[in-house]
C-alpha cells in the first residue's frame, strides 16, 4: 500500500489543533463540572437520609447503566422535543459532565470511606463541626486516595470526547472526519488520529505518574 506522506504531513497539524482547541478543553470543562457533581452525589450516598441516598443511587445507576452515546443523543436530539434546544458544545459538556459525575461519585465515596473513622473523631474533639471536619480533614485525605482512579477517568474521558463529533462538535476526531471527506484516505487519516490520541494519553499518563509520586512523598513525610 502506497502511503501519501504529503497528506499525512498536511493533515497532522489540523488534527492536533482540533485536539488542543476542542478535545482537551471539552474534557477539562466536563471533568471539572463532573467532579463537582460526583462530590455532591458521593455525599448524598453517604447521607443518613434514605430518600437523599436513594436519589443519588438512582442517578448513579442510570448513568452507569446506559451508554454514553445514548446519553449524548438524548440531550442533543431528544430535549428539543421538550422545547429545550442546546447547541453542540453545551450538549456535549452536559452529557460528559453527567457521565463523569456518575462514575466518579463511587470513586469519591470509596475514598471518603477509606479515611479512618478516628479522623472524624479527632475533628470533633477539637471542636470542629461535621462540615468543617469533612472539608479540612476528610476530603484532603480522600483526594490523595482518589487521584489514580480519577486520573484514569479523565484519560478515558479524553478518548470518549470523540463521540462529540457525532453532534458536530469540532474536536480531534471531527477534524479527521472532515479530512477523510475530501481525501477518501480513511485508513491513513484515522490511524493518524489514533496516534494523536495515543500521544495525548501518554502525556496525561506521565502527568498522572508524576502527581502520584509527589503525593506519595507528601504522605510519607
Amino acid at each position: 500500500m502506497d502511503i501519501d506522506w504529503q497528506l499525512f504531513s498536511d493533515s497532522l497539524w489540523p488534527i492536533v489543533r482540533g485536539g488542543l482547541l476542542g478535545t482537551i478543553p471539552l474534557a477539562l470543562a466536563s471533568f471539572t463540572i463532573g467532579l463537582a457533581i460526583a462530590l455532591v452525589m458521593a455525599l448524598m450516598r453517604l447521607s443518613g437520609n434514605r430518600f437523599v441516598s436513594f436519589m443519588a443511587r438512582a442517578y448513579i445507576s442510570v448513568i452507569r447503566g446506559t451508554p454514553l452515546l445514548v446519553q449524548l443523543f438524548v440531550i442533543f436530539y431528544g430535549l428539543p422535543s421538550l422545547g429545550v434546544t442546546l447547541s453542540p458544545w453545551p450538549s456535549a459538556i452536559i452529557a460528559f459532565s453527567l457521565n463523569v459525575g456518575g462514575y466518579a461519585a463511587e470513586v469519591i465515596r470509596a475514598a471518603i470511606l477509606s479515611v479512618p473513622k478516628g479522623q472524624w473523631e479527632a475533628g470533633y474533639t477539637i471542636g470542629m463541626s461535621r462540615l468543617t471536619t469533612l472539608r479540612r480533614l476528610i476530603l484532603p485525605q480522600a483526594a490523595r486516595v482518589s487521584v489514580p482512579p480519577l486520573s484514569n477517568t479523565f484519560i478515558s474521558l479524553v478518548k470518549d470526547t470523540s463521540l462529540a463529533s457525532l453532534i458536530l462538535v469540532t474536536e480531534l476526531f471531527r477534524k479527521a472526519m472532515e479530512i477523510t471527506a475530501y481525501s477518501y484516505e480513511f485508513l491513513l487519516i484515522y490511524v493518524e488520529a489514533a496516534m494523536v490520541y495515543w500521544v495525548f494519553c501518554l502525556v496525561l499518563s506521565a502527568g498522572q505518574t508524576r502527581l502520584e509520586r509527589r503525593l506519595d512523598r507528601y504522605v510519607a513525610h
Side-chain angles (χ1 to χ4, degrees):
M1 182 184 68
D2 293 331
I3 298 177
D4 188 343
W5 291 109
Q6 185 61 46
L7 175 62
F8 186 91
S9 176
D10 292 342
S11 60
L12 180 59
W13 173 240
I15 291 176
V16 172
R17 188 170 183 271
L20 295 176
L21 299 182
T23 298
I24 298 302
L26 177 58
L28 285 172
S30 301
F31 190 71
T32 301
I33 298 172
L35 279 185
I37 295 173
L39 178 58
V40 173
M41 290 298 112
L43 295 177
M44 289 175 64
R45 283 277 281 118
L46 295 171
S47 172
N49 186 303
R50 288 188 175 184
F51 177 74
V52 171
S53 180
F54 169 78
M55 292 299 294
R57 287 200 306 271
Y59 166 77
I60 293 170
S61 177
V62 169
I63 293 298
R64 291 165 66 98
T66 56
L68 175 54
L69 182 59
V70 174
Q71 297 166 15
L72 186 63
F73 275 30
V74 165
I75 292 172
F76 186 69
Y77 293 112
L79 289 183
S81 64
L82 300 178
V84 180
T85 302
L86 300 172
S87 59
W89 266 88
S91 297
I93 290 176
I94 291 172
F96 293 140
S97 298
L98 291 175
N99 189 267
V100 169
Y103 281 92
E106 290 298 273
V107 172
I108 295 176
R109 183 177 71 88
I112 292 175
L113 291 175
S114 71
V115 178
K117 292 183 178 179
Q119 295 296 308
W120 288 97
E121 297 171 358
Y124 298 151
T125 299
I126 60 176
M128 290 184 179
S129 65
R130 180 177 177 81
L131 181 59
T132 302
T133 301
L134 176 68
R135 180 172 56 86
R136 300 186 63 178
L137 291 181
I138 306 303
L139 289 183
Q141 297 179 67
R144 291 195 292 269
V145 175
S146 62
V147 163
L150 288 179
S151 297
N152 291 333
T153 299
F154 179 69
I155 293 174
S156 295
L157 176 62
V158 169
K159 294 178 289 185
D160 288 341
T161 55
S162 60
L163 295 175
S165 63
L166 300 178
I167 61 169
L168 308 180
V169 172
T170 302
E171 42 72 63
L172 192 159
F173 192 64
R174 183 70 186 180
K175 294 302 296 184
M177 293 174 64
E178 291 174 356
I179 295 171
T180 60
Y182 66 79
S183 69
Y184 293 99
E185 291 285 352
F186 297 99
L187 179 60
L188 176 65
I189 300 303
Y190 288 152
V191 167
E192 186 174 23
M195 291 172 61
V196 174
Y197 275 116
W198 180 45
V199 171
F200 279 3
C201 290
L202 284 177
V203 172
L204 292 172
S205 295
Q208 173 188 352
T209 301
R210 185 173 181 180
L211 178 59
E212 289 177 12
R213 287 175 179 171
R214 291 188 63 181
L215 290 175
D216 286 342
R217 288 199 301 268
Y218 177 79
V219 174
H221 288 300

